[in-house]
Amino acid sequence: LRDDLANSQGDAAREEQIANELKRLAREQREVEAELERFARQLQRLQAEQAGNRVADAAGKAGESRQSGEQGDNAGADEKAAGAKKDLDDAQQELAARRRQAEQDLAQEQLSTMLDAIKSLALRQRGAMAETMRLRGLRTTEGELPAAPLQSLRNLATLQRDLQQET
C-alpha cells in the first residue's frame, strides 16, 4: 500500500511537471505566433504581399499546431508545425526573390540615370565643339579673333572646364 501511495504521488508529481511544461510550451508558441503576425504585417508594408501572406498562413498553422498539442493530438500538431515551417520557407524564398528584383530595379534605374547624364555631357561637348569650329572660322588672316567673339571664347573655356570637372 505504501508503495502504491508513493507511486501515485510520484505519478501526480510527474503529471504536474508535464502539465507545467505543456503550459510553458503553449506560452512560447503564442509568442512565436505573435512574432509571425508582426513579421507578416511588416512584409505587407514592404509590398512583399505574397511573402506576407505566407507568413500569416504560417502563423495560423502554428496556432493550430499549438491547439492540437494542447488537446493531446501530437500527430496533428507535428503535421501543422511542418506546414507552418514550409510556409515560412516559402515566404523566405519569395522575400529573397522580391529583394533580388528590387536590387535589379534599382540597378536599372541607376544605369538609366547614368546614361542620361552621359548623353547630356555628350550633347554639351558637341555644342562646345561646334562653337570652337565657328570661332575658328572667325579668325582674321593674322590669326587673331575679333573683339566681339572673345566673350564667346571665354564662355566656351568655362564650359570646357565644367565638362572636365563633371567627368
Side-chain angles (χ1 to χ4, degrees):
L1 183 62
R2 284 186 187 169
D3 288 340
D4 288 341
L5 184 59
N7 283 341
S8 68
Q9 287 176 344
D11 288 343
R14 198 171 120 235
E15 285 179 21
E16 184 179 337
Q17 200 175 24
I18 290 172
N20 288 337
E21 182 66 15
L22 285 173
K23 287 177 186 175
R24 183 187 67 77
L25 289 172
R27 201 172 37 254
E28 286 180 14
Q29 186 97 19
R30 280 190 292 276
E31 291 171 6
V32 167
E33 287 174 54
E35 183 65 27
L36 287 172
E37 288 169 2
R38 281 192 298 274
F39 185 53
R41 286 190 303 273
Q42 182 182 19
L43 288 172
Q44 287 170 344
R45 281 192 304 271
L46 293 172
Q47 297 177 345
E49 197 169 319
Q50 287 180 328
N53 291 340
R54 293 283 186 168
V55 172
D57 291 346
K61 287 178 184 174
E64 292 171 5
S65 172
R66 176 185 45 81
Q67 289 173 349
S68 294
E70 288 173 347
Q71 295 171 358
D73 180 11
N74 292 336
D78 286 346
E79 180 183 327
K80 290 174 182 161
K85 182 181 180 328
K86 182 186 180 313
D87 286 345
L88 286 175
D89 291 342
D90 291 347
Q92 203 169 29
Q93 289 175 358
E94 289 171 15
L95 187 58
R98 176 82 169 111
R99 182 179 296 128
R100 281 189 303 274
Q101 183 62 47
E103 288 171 354
Q104 287 176 349
D105 291 348
L106 178 60
Q108 184 65 37
E109 185 178 318
Q110 289 173 338
L111 189 60
S112 178
T113 301
M114 204 179 316
L115 183 60
D116 289 344
I118 290 170
K119 285 179 181 179
S120 173
L121 283 172
L123 181 64
R124 290 168 55 200
Q125 182 64 40
R126 280 193 298 270
M129 292 298 295
E131 182 63 9
T132 300
M133 297 306 289
R134 186 186 76 78
L135 290 174
R136 263 193 197 155
L138 293 176
R139 275 198 241 158
T140 63
T141 55
E142 294 86 36
E144 298 207 8
L145 202 55
L150 283 177
Q151 183 58 40
S152 181
L153 183 60
R154 287 187 192 101
N155 291 344
L156 181 61
T158 301
L159 176 63
Q160 288 289 43
R161 276 193 298 274
D162 291 347
L163 286 170
Q164 182 182 11
Q165 288 175 354
E166 289 181 35
T167 57

